[in-house]
Amino acid sequence: MTAESTVPSPGGQARDLGFSSVSIMPPRDQGAGFRFPARRPTARPASPVPLLTADLLAGLVGAFALSGDRFRPLLVAVLLAASILLRPHPPRQVAGVLDELPAVCARIAVAWLVLAAAVASYDADRALSPATLAVGFLLQSVAACVGRGTVRRRQRVTRLVRPRAALVIGPAATAQRVAAAVLRHPGCGVRPVGIVSEQSDGGEGLPVLTTGEEVERALIQNGVRDVLIVHPSVRSRQGPLLRALAESGCAVWEIDAESPSYEMREQLAGFSCRRLVMGSRRRGSAGKRALDVVVSGTLLLLVSPLLLVCAAALRLNGGPGVVFRQERIGIDGKPFTLLKFRTHRPVDAHEAATRWSVANEHQMPWLCRFLRRTSMDELLQLWNVLRGDMSLVGPRPERPYFVAKFSQTYPGYAARHRMRTGITGLAQVHGLRGDTSIEDRCRFDNAYIDNWSLWQDICILLRTAAALVRPTGS
């Protein structure tokens, strides 16, 4: 529950709202900040075409084991289709063909068994003999190993000759250690060119960049394409920098530099790593916006009579001013005006801006208590969704005063604003509404953003609709 009024940001809070206290980030009100070059295409992984070609050629070699009859073209087509559909999906970087040999051979064996089963089910008299299966499997396996080995060798040569320049972000000592380890293994295809840290450690190694101008210069001069994060605090403390680098076309990787390497698909010089999706624009965001527009527009049409009834009842019960407007913080820390039915009148502007819970809620008129407990006072936020200020699903927006306060107290709170705020969210469907743990809310909100999918939004909306049967207030 939150108090209600339209007030400016209290205490003269800076507009950066606690997003970053790191020295390399200029304040949000001092111009444009980083002047990174125009967006470049994000570095893409190696093309699958060479490996696909090697697998197709291997399938053709294995097809020589098939007997020559009028059905041979059809059998070859079935074999190639099975081989391609069952292609293995190895990690981003493979040391050599021996690492993927079990998966390749298993896939080829299954393809031949599928072919044998299809032939036997169609015509038992033409069933493939065990000798044919063995010869075909051996021919295709050998050809696949030779072809894939050739492709992997060319990929290793390319990584050695043309490594991707990278910046390492984190505490200077840890970043220098990780950078040195990566440089000792040039086969990984990444070449660190600088360290981004709050202050230099005064030791030897790569240059330490402590200002936005130095980061910009290193980005342009070295053609940086990768960013390596070596400490968990970087994501929350330097979120704006990471998003700016991602918007510039850099791939952002989080490195586990301190803990033992746990099982993970991606590795870099022996360190476990994972790709981070930064920024508000991501794959599927157009679908999310389309869902917001369709659902909010439809609901506004359906509940418009109910909105009129609520407005009339509040006007008769409490006088004029049935709608209140309050500044909230949305995506990328930008303020917007949130709409809601007025169910409480704060004592003064200071209470509206800084009081977490509404005082003496039990003394509210029964109509106001009913609207709050059924969340009907939130229905006007459908207009915020239709306008694009909010989304149906996302982290709940909060007032500037509390955004600044929570960003300084809870690591990762500011990172919630990398996605559009919402009427409901993963935290809310887990019972984190009203006067509940901010730390838990922050954790659930960031987990939602990190693992976002359109289907997850639909599931949260369905769970929210089910929860309305058991109203508990907002």
Side-chain angles (χ1 to χ4, degrees):
M1 299 177 293
T2 54
E4 305 166 358
S5 179
T6 302
V7 296
S9 180
Q13 295 289 340
R15 181 55 64 189
D16 66 353
L17 302 172
F19 269 67
S20 176
S21 58
V22 186
S23 59
I24 62 170
M25 285 301 302
R28 192 180 289 265
D29 57 357
Q30 291 184 4
F34 288 101
R35 296 181 299 276
F36 288 157
R39 179 176 177 84
R40 304 161 294 169
T42 303
R44 297 180 179 180
S47 173
V49 173
L51 288 177
L52 179 61
T53 302
D55 289 338
L56 286 174
L57 293 178
L60 293 175
V61 172
F64 282 108
L66 299 174
S67 59
D69 58 21
R70 61 190 181 93
F71 292 106
R72 184 179 181 186
L74 179 60
L75 297 181
V76 173
V78 173
L79 176 63
L80 293 179
S83 300
I84 297 304
L85 291 175
L86 296 171
R87 291 178 69 243
H89 299 282
R92 184 174 62 97
Q93 293 184 0
V94 178
V97 69
L98 292 178
D99 297 280
E100 57 184 359
L101 181 60
V104 171
C105 292
R107 178 257 302 175
I108 294 174
V110 172
W112 277 94
L113 291 176
V114 169
L115 178 63
V119 173
S121 63
Y122 179 77
D123 188 351
D125 295 334
R126 296 178 180 272
L128 301 180
S129 65
T132 300
L133 294 177
V135 172
F137 168 76
L138 290 176
L139 287 176
Q140 186 172 352
S141 297
V142 172
C145 290
V146 173
R148 282 179 164 262
T150 302
V151 173
R152 296 299 184 190
R153 178 177 176 80
R154 294 194 62 179
Q155 290 177 347
R156 289 196 299 272
V157 171
T158 300
R159 290 196 295 267
L160 287 171
V161 175
R162 294 194 297 271
R164 301 189 308 276
L167 292 176
V168 186
I169 305 181
T174 303
Q176 292 284 9
R177 177 168 59 86
V178 172
V182 173
L183 288 172
R184 289 195 298 267
H185 297 83
C188 63
V190 177
R191 178 175 57 89
V193 296
I195 305 297
V196 180
S197 184
E198 296 185 36
Q199 56 185 2
S200 176
D201 59 352
E204 298 181 354
L206 295 176
V208 179
L209 315 176
T210 59
T211 66
E213 291 75 13
E214 292 176 344
V215 174
E216 177 189 355
R217 185 163 53 250
L219 183 72
I220 298 174
Q221 292 179 351
N222 297 279
V224 173
R225 303 312 302 262
D226 287 273
V227 175
L228 310 181
I229 301 174
V230 298
H231 196 273
S233 64
V234 173
R235 292 182 62 185
S236 59
R237 291 174 61 84
Q238 299 185 9
L241 170 64
L242 297 179
R243 287 190 288 273
L245 290 170
E247 289 297 324
S248 180
C250 295
V252 182
W253 299 87
E254 187 174 50
I255 305 292
D256 190 355
E258 303 295 343
S259 303
S261 294
Y262 298 103
E263 181 178 358
M264 193 172 294
R265 286 182 59 85
E266 308 287 351
Q267 287 197 349
L268 180 68
F271 295 107
S272 296
C273 64
R274 63 177 180 133
R275 177 81 176 265
L276 300 182
V277 179
M278 307 299 300
S280 58
R281 296 292 298 177
R282 63 174 68 198
R283 184 179 302 176
S285 58
K288 181 177 177 67
R289 179 59 187 152
L291 178 68
D292 289 341
V293 172
V294 171
V295 175
S296 63
T298 302
L299 288 179
L300 280 173
L301 290 176
L302 293 177
V303 303
S304 55
L306 179 60
L307 295 178
L308 291 176
V309 171
C310 292
L314 286 173
R315 177 66 173 82
L316 294 174
N317 185 271
V322 298
V323 177
F324 88 92
R325 298 168 176 81
Q326 185 180 66
E327 184 184 53
R328 298 290 179 97
I329 300 302
I331 185 171
D332 293 331
K334 298 177 181 177
F336 71 96
T337 301
L338 179 138
L339 303 178
K340 199 175 181 181
F341 280 124
R342 184 182 297 279
T343 57
H344 170 72
R345 296 182 185 273
V347 176
D348 52 30
H350 179 73
E351 178 193 4
T354 62
R355 189 180 183 90
W356 175 245
S357 298
V358 174
N360 301 321
E361 181 182 4
H362 63 279
Q363 298 180 3
M364 287 182 180
W366 70 269
L367 176 61
C368 296
R369 291 200 307 271
F370 174 77
L371 292 178
R372 294 182 69 84
R373 292 186 178 278
T374 58
S375 298
M376 291 175 60
D377 60 330
E378 309 276 357
L379 289 177
L380 289 181
Q381 293 172 36
L382 291 172
W383 179 250
N384 287 117
V385 175
L386 190 62
R387 288 185 52 186
D389 298 327
M390 299 173 60
S391 176
L392 291 171
V393 183
R396 284 293 296 165
E398 195 43 77
R399 288 161 286 176
Y401 172 83
F402 288 107
V403 170
K405 180 178 179 180
F406 295 154
S407 296
Q408 296 172 357
T409 306
Y410 303 100
Y413 186 88
R416 300 164 65 254
H417 297 92
R418 54 202 160 115
M419 179 174 279
R420 190 176 279 114
T421 55
I423 296 179
T424 185
L426 186 63
Q428 282 65 47
V429 298
H430 280 84
L432 297 171
R433 309 176 67 189
D435 193 11
T436 54
S437 170
I438 301 301
E439 181 181 2
D440 289 348
R441 290 195 202 185
C442 174
R443 185 171 62 253
F444 275 98
D445 287 338
N446 282 304
Y448 162 77
I449 298 173
D450 290 340
N451 302 281
W452 177 86
S453 69
L454 194 59
W455 178 246
Q456 182 182 203
D457 276 9
I458 295 174
C459 292
I460 291 175
L461 289 174
L462 293 176
R463 293 172 66 182
T464 301
L468 292 179
V469 180
R470 305 181 303 274
T472 58
S474 59

